[in-house]
Each structure stands twice: as structure tokens, then as C-alpha cells.
Amino acid sequence: MTPSITLGPFYPVIRPTDTDADLTRVAGRTGLAQGEVIQLIVKMVDRQGRPIIGGLVELWHCNAAGRYAHPADPNTAPLDPDFQGFAQIGTDAQGEFRITTIKPAAYPAGPDWMRAPHIHMDARGRSYRSSLQMMFDDPLLAQDRVLTDFDADELSRVIARPLERGVDGMARFGWTMVMLEG
């Protein structure tokens, strides 16, 4: 099973009106989010590996400068008005969803530590809900205090795996979230 990790921080106080699968563009704006554009291919399965069809995932993360579009974020890094930062996506007939976003940055979580790059997810299957964080392989994982109690196996289950770049050159990552039940 994919280990649960705290829901926070910075779940949107005001739900954005644009919640589609492309976080690199905001409806009504012409700009493109700053940072490295990536695609995530995420599969939601139960403990037996069966796809969870019709699951719902809300996801959010900081921008390429390490800042959340949230009034309580103390980070002084700039906001990116062209970064959507939040999406609400359903799983398809294979239990998958895809998003286009930017690779999140590390950010200061206190005076003496940095959070490794990650994406928050509130995942709901048909009968189970879990709070998850999908991590990227990064040197900061070793000192990320949110992960200090994780053994090597648990840590491996929260890290997205790099996939082959597409013909467009975009970096792609795959991740499987294993829910307790469908």
C-alpha cells in the first residue's frame, strides 16, 4: 500500500475555478507557467493491483520557485500567475489519469530544513480515501523530516519513476498509488 502522508500544507483556501489536467495554463490567461514542464501518468489500484475506475484525485503543489498560492505560505519566493497549482481529476477505465504540470521545487519548511519536491494528493476510491504525497527522486529526500520514519520500501512507494521522454522532449513520470480498498 502507498503510505499515507499528511494532507497539508496549503490546500487551497478558495477552490480555483480552473481545475483541469493542465496546470501549466490558467483559463483566461495567455502565459505559460514557469519551470520545467512535465507529464505525470498516475494509476490508482487496490491492494490486489486491480484498477480503481472512477476514483477522484485532488492534487496541488508549489510552483517552480517553491511557493504555494496560499495566504499562509511564509515563503517569500514569487508567485506565478500562470501556474494553476491545483487540479481535480477522475481515473479512467484503466484506473489512470494524466496531468501536465511543472516540476515542483524544494522549499524551506522551517529555519533549518527543506522539503524535497513533491505533489500533494487527496485520493478517493469508491470506498477508501487517502492523503498522499508523490515525491521525486532528489538528494533532499534523505533529510526531508516528513519522511524520517519511512523505511526504504515505504520510501520507494512514494517516489515517481522517470519514464522515457516523449517525442516532444517533455519529461514524463509514472506513479502507482495503491489504495487499501477500491
Side-chain angles (χ1 to χ4, degrees):
M1 204 170 89
T2 304
S4 264
I5 302 178
T6 182
L7 184 63
F10 310 128
Y11 181 85
V13 174
I14 300 171
R15 183 182 210 94
T17 56
D18 189 0
T19 63
D20 69 1
D22 186 351
L23 282 73
T24 66
R25 299 185 185 280
V26 175
R29 299 189 58 87
T30 58
L32 184 66
Q34 298 172 14
E36 179 187 3
V37 177
I38 64 172
Q39 185 178 56
L40 299 178
I41 302 155
V42 179
K43 185 165 188 145
M44 183 188 289
V45 299
D46 65 18
R47 287 182 296 172
Q48 286 72 42
R50 296 178 296 230
I52 298 174
I53 300 162
L56 182 66
V57 177
E58 292 182 337
L59 60 91
W60 64 99
H61 65 88
C62 67
N63 66 22
R67 176 111 183 250
Y68 288 88
H70 190 283
D73 186 352
N75 191 349
T76 58
L79 288 171
D80 182 351
D82 296 315
F83 176 56
Q84 186 174 305
F86 177 89
Q88 184 177 35
I89 308 293
T91 60
D92 64 16
Q94 288 75 43
E96 293 183 351
F97 69 87
R98 294 173 186 247
I99 66 162
T100 301
T101 189
I102 53 96
K103 192 168 183 186
Y107 62 85
D112 60 346
W113 72 292
M114 296 282 289
R115 284 295 325 267
H118 61 278
I119 296 178
H120 299 269
M121 296 188 196
D122 179 12
R124 290 168 252 173
R126 292 178 305 275
S127 61
Y128 187 75
R129 183 176 188 172
S130 189
S131 173
L132 310 167
Q133 291 181 27
M134 185 194 78
M135 311 299 292
F136 293 88
D137 193 13
D138 188 278
L140 288 172
L141 287 172
Q143 64 187 42
D144 190 321
R145 294 180 187 169
V146 172
L147 307 172
T148 54
D149 292 335
F150 280 38
D151 62 32
D153 181 56
E154 289 170 317
L155 188 59
S156 72
R157 288 183 269 144
V158 298
I159 299 174
R161 67 191 181 289
L163 302 173
E164 190 172 316
R165 286 186 183 265
V167 292
D168 56 6
M170 185 185 308
R172 288 176 166 74
F173 294 87
W175 191 54
T176 301
M177 62 173 75
V178 181
M179 305 286 279
L180 179 64
E181 298 174 12

